[in-house]
Amino acid sequence: MKTFTITDVGMKRTVNQDCVYCNESNVGIFPNLFIVADGMGGHKAGDMASRLCVSTFTESVKASDLRTPVSVLGEAVFTAHNKVHDVSSDNDDYTGMGTTLVAATIIDDKLFVVNIGDSRLYILRDELIQITEDHSLVEEMVKSGEIEKDSVRSHPNKNIITRALGIGYDVQPDYFNIDVCEGDIILMCTDGLINELSDNEIEYIIKSNGDNLDKAGMTLLNKANEAGGKDNITVLLVRV
């Protein structure tokens, strides 16, 4: 396994509200753990939400007595949700804060994924395939046939999400269990990347540099910034 990760403030923002965690070694029962979170709710609040989410999630995984991957991931999601919600409720500076979350672990030939919000996980084998589903207003509009998938990146409401961790009393994550093969490349990222680059552009960049994950990741970041860099950008790559 090889990994690369980077997070960047982008060209327009002054604070990075993204948070990323990449550990190729054991975390609790998991042989590895990868997390990307994108906070929201003002400068201090968004930064706090994503960092608190990631730290609480990892500590929950480490401390869990549960034995199945999905149950450990689910427990960690709800623990992190409650922690972010409680801190938001107890401190006026953090009122209303929340965060997206996508987390994954590879166990033998299986990839276990949990997500909430619009940060994404893709797998590149022969082609780039989006595994997670955005919890966003524009994704609901695509499903209902109101807009075409190709128009999502340019839609004025593309940043409105319909689910977030830490907001409200309930959290509804999605879970995925995917077969992986040697040579597969996993991409986890925030919307700062996908709002600037199309899936075809992302696929081309990774395929062109796939033998060098560092170069692939840096090229994705640089191209997203060159395209505008209007949001924070986080890229996490894993080659199985």
Side-chain angles (χ1 to χ4, degrees):
M1 177 184 296
K2 294 184 178 180
T3 63
F4 171 84
T5 185
I6 192 167
T7 184
D8 185 76
V9 72
M11 304 301 291
K12 304 295 184 182
R13 302 291 180 91
T14 58
V15 175
N16 192 346
Q17 297 180 322
D18 288 358
C19 187
V20 61
Y21 177 89
C22 178
N23 193 335
E24 298 178 35
S25 301
N26 291 351
V27 182
I29 69 165
F30 295 159
N32 47 70
L33 182 61
F34 312 104
I35 309 171
V36 168
D38 180 1
M40 65 200 76
H43 289 295
K44 287 193 296 182
D47 179 40
M48 169 62 81
S50 61
R51 288 188 292 110
L52 188 60
C53 167
V54 169
S55 63
T56 306
F57 191 100
T58 55
E59 289 305 314
S60 175
V61 171
K62 291 175 184 177
S64 181
D65 293 325
L66 301 175
R67 307 317 301 166
T68 65
V70 172
S71 63
V72 174
L73 290 172
E75 180 183 47
V77 167
F78 286 97
T79 301
H81 171 75
N82 290 333
K83 183 66 173 180
V84 173
H85 182 269
D86 289 348
V87 171
S88 172
S89 300
D90 293 341
N91 191 315
D92 290 341
D93 288 340
Y94 303 135
T95 299
M97 72 177 179
T99 183
T100 70
L101 168 74
V102 57
T105 184
I106 301 170
I107 303 176
D108 297 325
D109 58 352
K110 295 288 186 182
L111 174 69
F112 296 90
V113 184
V114 62
N115 88 287
I116 182 166
D118 63 354
S119 295
R120 292 182 182 176
L121 183 144
Y122 295 85
I123 290 181
L124 176 61
R125 191 172 297 164
D126 298 322
E127 60 181 341
L128 188 70
I129 300 174
Q130 181 181 338
I131 301 301
T132 56
E133 181 177 294
D134 294 349
H135 302 140
S136 67
L137 179 61
V138 290
E139 184 65 26
E140 292 184 359
M141 294 171 72
V142 169
K143 288 181 177 179
S144 67
E146 294 180 57
I147 62 172
E148 297 294 327
K149 185 71 173 178
D150 292 343
S151 67
V152 166
R153 287 174 56 228
S154 60
H155 198 279
N157 293 327
K158 65 179 181 292
N159 293 323
I160 299 176
I161 63 174
T162 55
R163 298 190 213 172
L165 185 148
I167 296 178
Y169 292 100
D170 191 22
V171 62
Q172 294 179 303
D174 288 341
Y175 299 91
F176 303 88
N177 179 348
I178 308 296
D179 292 332
V180 290
C181 304
E182 183 177 349
D184 286 353
I185 295 178
I186 297 161
L187 166 66
M188 298 167 65
C189 60
T190 56
D191 63 350
L193 178 71
I194 56 183
N195 285 340
E196 302 294 358
L197 301 179
S198 69
D199 284 6
N200 287 338
E201 290 171 314
I202 293 171
E203 178 180 326
Y204 175 79
I205 290 169
I206 298 177
K207 281 185 173 179
S208 300
N209 301 281
D211 291 335
N212 187 334
L213 284 192
D214 291 14
K215 186 176 180 182
M218 287 304 303
T219 302
L220 288 171
L221 172 65
N222 292 334
K223 290 296 184 182
N225 274 327
E226 290 172 12
K230 292 182 286 294
D231 200 352
N232 308 145
I233 303 161
T234 294
V235 175
L236 193 162
L237 292 167
V238 181
R239 185 166 62 235
V240 180

